[in-house]
Every structure is written in C-alpha cells, then in structure tokens.
C-alpha cells in the first residue's frame, strides 16, 4: 500500500507538471501565431502601399507641324522637362492608377520664320534659303500639369517592369521669346503672340529605365489670328518625341 501510494503521488505530480507545461506551450504557440499573423498582415499592407514613378525627367526632339508655306525647321529643336507626379493606384494589385503632377518644361523651335518687332506689333517673314543667319528660334518656359492614366505590371519588389501611361498635359507659358542671331545683329524680345495656355495628348511607353515619350499639341503655338507677312495664318502645333525617365 505504501508503494502504491508513493506511485500514485508521483503520477499525480507528473500529470500536474505535464499539464502545466502543456498549457504554457499552448499559450506560446498561440502568441507566436498571433505575432506572425500580425507581421504577415503588416507586410501585406506594406506591399499594397508602394507607389511608382513619382519623379520624371525627359528629353525630346520638337517637331513643328502645320507650318506655313515655305517655312521649314532649322537646326536642332529640343525640349527638356522635369517634375513630380502623385501616383494614385486604382486597383488592389496597384497595376492600374492615375497620376497628377506638376513640372517645368523648356522648349525651342528653330525655323526660318523671322519674328521682328514693329512698334507694339510683331511681324513675321520667311527668311530666304540663302539668308546668312546663325539661328532663329522661338523659346518657351512652361509650367506643366500632366494628368495620366497608368498601367504597369510592377510589384513592391520588382523594379523592372512594363508601363503604358497615357493622358493629357496642360501648360502655362510664363516666358516666351523670339531670338534671331546673325553675324551682324542679335534680336531678342518677349513675344506676346505666343499662346499662354497650351495643352496636348501624351503617351509614355517603355520598360524599366528607358521609355518613349510622345506629346502632340492640340493647341497652336501662337494665338489665334497671328499671320505671317503673306497673310497666311500661323497655326504651328508642336509634336515632341523623345525619352522620359522615371524615379520613385
């Protein structure tokens, strides 16, 4: 009986500590699961909060379309643009979204259409092909507001992906000048005939770093009714083609 009682007491003691250990183990397992779940949920939330392509820089060649008769482009007409775009995802996977931004653009248009001041007016004449001049251009400094519909196959961990961004770009020309330079004279003045408010369609397509940028103006470079000396209305519309680079 003494042996049985001692055995029974040892068994009871063993079961007590075994149950206590089991309870502690179960509590630790639940705690670990809860913490792990919180971390996974946090990581999931983090993955769903990444943004793409918020800063941009672009370089373009500027074509002057819809030129008057006998007017042609000369030299290298170029454009530079840079700015910030707020990325606003529309889909849960964040592959669809819109972008609204603010930027700054510099543009030049080299042609043989000479602008000269005549009192308070500006007169436009076509320079002969044998005219001796170094450069003749229209230069603009523009405050730009791009609006884009965006598609990309990116993830929070993938930085190389395809993108297609299309939309419109609004621009306010806060400085527009005509500049003519020859061996004998230099003429620079603020040209009030340049349209203040300009707008056009944009398309950006590419993979990773290099992306093709296209801008087609829906508005004329000059105000309505501006004519060259022959009486033909000047309705030049810029077409810009080049590269654009995006940075997070």
């Amino acid at each position: 009986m003494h042996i049985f009682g001692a055995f029974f007491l040892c068994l009871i003691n063993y079961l007590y500590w075994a149950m206590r250990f089991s309870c502690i183990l179960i509590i630790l397992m639940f705690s670990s699961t809860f913490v792990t779940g919180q971390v996974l949920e946090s990581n999931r939330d983090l993955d769903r909060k990444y943004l793409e392509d918020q800063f941009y820089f672009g370089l373009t060649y500027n074509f002057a379309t819809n030129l008057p008769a006998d007017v042609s482009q000369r030299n290298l007409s170029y454009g530079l643009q840079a700015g910030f775009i707020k990325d606003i995802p529309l889909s849960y996977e964040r592959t669809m979204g819109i972008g609204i931004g603010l930027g700054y653009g510099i543009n030049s248009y080299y042609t043989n259409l000479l602008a000269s001041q005549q009192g308070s007016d500006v007169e436009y004449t076509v320079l002969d092909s044998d005219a001796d001049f170094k450069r003749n251009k229209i230069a603009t400094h523009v405050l730009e507001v791009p609006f884009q519909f965006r598609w990309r196959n990116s993830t929070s961990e993938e930085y190389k992906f395809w993108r297609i961004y299309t939309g419109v770009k609004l621009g306010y020309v806060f400085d527009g000048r005509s500049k003519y330079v020859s061996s004998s004279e230099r003429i620079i003045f603020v040209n009030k005939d340049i349209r203040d408010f300009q707008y056009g369609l944009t398309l950006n397509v590419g993979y990773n770093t290099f992306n093709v940028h296209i801008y087609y103006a829906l508005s004329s470079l000059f105000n309505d009714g501006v004519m060259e000396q022959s009486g033909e209305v000047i309705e030049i519309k810029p077409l810009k083609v080049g590269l654009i680079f995006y940075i997070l």
Side-chain angles (χ1 to χ4, degrees):
M1 291 296 292
H2 292 292
I3 296 174
F4 179 77
F7 175 76
F8 183 75
L9 290 174
C10 288
L11 180 62
I12 293 296
N13 189 53
Y14 172 78
L15 291 175
Y16 168 76
W17 284 106
M19 292 179 62
R20 187 172 180 179
F21 177 77
S22 298
C23 290
I24 294 174
L25 183 62
I26 291 172
I27 292 172
L28 290 175
M29 289 177 63
F30 272 104
S31 299
S32 176
T33 303
F34 176 77
V35 171
T36 303
Q38 290 295 311
V39 171
L40 290 176
E41 185 65 29
S42 177
N43 288 339
R44 238 187 336 261
D45 291 341
L46 181 63
D47 290 346
R48 297 302 175 187
K49 292 180 180 179
Y50 73 92
L51 300 175
E52 297 289 3
D53 302 340
Q54 298 195 77
F55 295 93
Y56 67 91
F57 172 79
L59 174 66
T60 61
Y61 181 83
N62 296 344
F63 296 91
T65 68
N66 206 27
L67 291 169
D70 300 325
V71 176
S72 60
Q73 282 196 249
R74 305 282 290 268
N75 298 6
L76 178 63
S77 299
Y78 65 89
L80 297 172
Q81 57 178 311
F84 171 83
I85 292 183
K86 174 61 178 176
D87 186 75
I88 306 174
L90 296 179
S91 63
Y92 180 73
E93 295 80 9
R94 306 182 85 79
T95 55
M96 301 288 292
I98 60 175
I100 303 175
L102 183 64
Y104 170 63
I106 302 174
N107 298 286
S108 66
Y109 307 92
Y110 289 87
T111 70
N112 62 339
L113 183 65
L114 174 64
S116 57
Q117 286 184 305
Q118 304 294 328
S120 59
D121 298 325
V122 181
E123 185 178 278
Y124 299 89
T125 57
V126 180
L127 296 169
D128 296 332
S129 58
D130 58 350
D132 181 22
F133 65 95
K134 295 181 180 179
R135 54 184 167 274
N136 178 63
K137 71 173 183 177
I138 296 290
T140 62
H141 295 260
V142 189
L143 184 65
E144 300 178 330
V145 179
F147 180 85
Q148 300 173 344
F149 292 96
R150 298 176 147 202
W151 173 87
R152 61 279 178 116
N153 63 344
S154 64
T155 67
S156 61
E157 299 177 348
E158 181 57 56
Y159 298 101
K160 295 181 180 180
F161 52 86
W162 288 96
R163 62 170 62 80
I164 301 176
Y165 299 162
T166 184
V168 298
K169 183 188 289 185
L170 310 179
Y172 175 73
V173 179
F174 62 88
D175 185 58
R177 296 173 183 265
S178 290
K179 182 176 183 178
Y180 172 81
V181 179
S182 69
S183 57
S184 59
E185 61 180 333
R186 180 186 180 93
I187 304 172
I188 303 176
F189 65 95
V190 175
N191 193 330
K192 298 298 184 181
D193 285 345
I194 297 175
R195 187 183 298 272
D196 291 334
F197 180 72
Q198 302 182 3
Y199 55 94
L201 303 176
T202 62
L203 175 64
N204 303 320
V205 179
Y207 177 78
N208 195 20
T209 303
F210 296 96
N211 302 272
V212 175
H213 171 75
I214 301 174
Y215 168 89
Y216 178 70
L218 299 178
S219 58
S220 173
L221 182 62
F222 291 92
N223 293 324
D224 295 337
V226 175
M227 296 182 293
E228 52 120 336
Q229 198 172 34
S230 66
E232 185 175 357
V233 177
I234 304 174
E235 295 180 322
I236 297 174
K237 292 185 176 181
L239 170 63
K240 306 174 188 178
V241 180
L243 295 175
I244 192 167
F245 306 91
Y246 287 104
I247 305 172
L248 293 179

